[in-house]
């Protein structure tokens, strides 16, 4: 239950499909704040489109009794199974519309089960899940049917964007193996949550090593990463071809910068979706310098 006394209290769900078709990425997103004001968005972008199409509504009143088993906000409707293993979502926009049927490959992964719980500035708790999305995307009359990998997250509680200096949301997915991680830099600390899904088992990440390239605009273009889970299993992932980036100023002091990427997990082809979010003042100072940078963590 969202608390009206907590102004940053919120709940949200997103379905991200890194590759609807070659050169086309989409995500559908909905949120509601503690005052019962809800919103929804559908974003479609990529090399094929040549532009970022972002259709969004916000400030729509929803009753306290509204549940995600049968939920409607403006052009969006969704139904989420109690188990979290399946869901459907539709968004009927002006230029873009999409219908999705999602089936999880594993039970939703809960950040709150980490020994230190879910970082309190990020959410009271958060679920992440890799799965398969089947459906139809329509863009300016063009019809794209898809049966592709999808990453779904569902979070509720506090979201203090200003607490974070930087955030990464990193996903590489195929039908046998998937890796997910969120890395948050806040209050001088690094917070890491995520998993390695392999052989039908989803195991929490213990460590994540990253090396990546940023261009002169601080956009990520290439990455090498190693996931080590709590059982000692290791996945090495190469990310390449960071293309058009989706950019969204979610607050005055935090900017999301997302892109779909090609990936290989231990040599096997995968799709990927990577967000690196920054304080815009930091971006301005850094991009005033010339040249790209290579970062290793």
């Amino acid at each position: 239950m969202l608390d009206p006394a907590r102004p940053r209290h919120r709940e949200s769900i997103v379905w991200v499909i890194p590759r609807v078709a070659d050169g086309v990425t989409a995500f559908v997103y909905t949120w509601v704040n503690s005052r019962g004001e809800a919103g929804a968005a559908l974003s479609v972008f990529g090399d094929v489109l040549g532009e970022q199409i972002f259709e969004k509504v916000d400030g729509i009143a929803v009753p306290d009794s509204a549940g995600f088993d049968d939920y409607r906000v403006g052009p969006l409707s969704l139904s989420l199974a109690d188990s979290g293993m399946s869901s459907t979502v539709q968004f009927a926009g002006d230029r873009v519309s999409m219908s999705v049927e999602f089936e999880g490959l594993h039970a939703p992964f809960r950040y709150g089960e980490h020994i230190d719980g879910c970082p309190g500035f990020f959410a009271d708790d958060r679920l992440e899940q890799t799965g398969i999305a089947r459906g139809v995307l329509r863009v300016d009359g063009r019809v794209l049917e898809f049966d592709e990998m999808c990453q779904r997250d569902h979070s509720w509680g506090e979201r203090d964007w200003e607490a974070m200096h930087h955030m990464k949301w990193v996903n590489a997915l195929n039908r046998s193996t998937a890796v997910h991680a969120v890395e948050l830099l806040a209050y001088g600390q690094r917070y890491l949550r995520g998993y390695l899904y392999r052989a039908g088992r989803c195991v929490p990440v213990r460590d994540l090593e990253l090396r990546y390239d940023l261009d002169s605009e601080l956009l990520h273009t290439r990455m090498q990463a190693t996931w080590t889970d709590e059982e000692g299993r290791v996945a090495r992932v190469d990310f390449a071809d960071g293309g058009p980036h989706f950019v969204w100023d979610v607050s005055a002091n935090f900017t999301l910068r997302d892109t779909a990427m090609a990936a290989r997990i231990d040599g096997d082809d995968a799709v990927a979706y990577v967000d690196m979010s920054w304080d815009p003042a930091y971006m301005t100072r850094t991009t005033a310098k010339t040249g790209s940078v290579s970062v290793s963590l």
Side-chain angles (χ1 to χ4, degrees), residues 235-252:
R236 295 176 175 83
V237 188
D238 294 310
F239 301 79
D241 301 329
H245 285 65
F246 168 80
V247 178
W248 186 4
D249 295 321
V250 291
S251 81

Side-chain angles (χ1 to χ4, degrees), residues 211-229:
R211 177 183 291 275
Y212 50 89
D213 294 337
L214 305 174
D215 68 13
S216 59
E217 296 180 355
L218 219 63
L219 297 171
H220 43 290
T221 58
R222 188 175 59 177
M223 179 185 294
Q224 293 178 320
T226 302
W227 268 256
T228 304
D229 71 20

